[in-house]
Amino acid sequence: MRAKTNIDELTAQAQQNMAALHAAIEPTPEAEAAFAWLETFVAVSLRVISKTNPSKVRDCSRTEWIKGLMDGKPEV
């Protein structure tokens, strides 16, 4: 049996963050369309993550974290 990533915490965090973003955007048609696209992307990403080996998820997460540090993004 293959190991799976526990997706429950990631899903809860994504839902919280998406709700905060949605509350902060000005409700224009363009912003709503962009948010819908982002919401779909997050949903697909969570499905892919749930079916991916945890070590691959960790490797990709670490790579993006390092890239963010190099780009000067704040740590989360």
Side-chain angles (χ1 to χ4, degrees):
M1 180 181 233
R2 227 170 104 201
K4 300 282 185 195
T5 301
N6 184 346
I7 202 73
D8 294 338
E9 186 178 334
L10 289 174
T11 300
Q13 287 176 338
Q15 287 173 337
Q16 269 186 327
N17 291 333
M18 295 299 286
L21 284 174
H22 195 262
I25 63 172
E26 193 172 325
T28 64
E30 294 84 9
E32 290 294 327
F35 187 80
W37 183 92
L38 186 58
E39 200 171 39
T40 300
F41 185 84
V42 169
V44 170
S45 299
L46 288 170
R47 282 182 187 259
V48 171
I49 288 170
S50 73
K51 296 176 187 295
T52 302
N53 185 305
S55 64
K56 289 181 183 178
V57 173
R58 275 191 304 275
D59 289 346
C60 290
S61 296
R62 189 176 300 118
T63 299
E64 287 301 313
W65 174 69
I66 291 169
K67 183 179 167 205
L69 290 176
M70 292 172 56
D71 291 344
K73 293 180 184 174
E75 280 194 62
V76 290

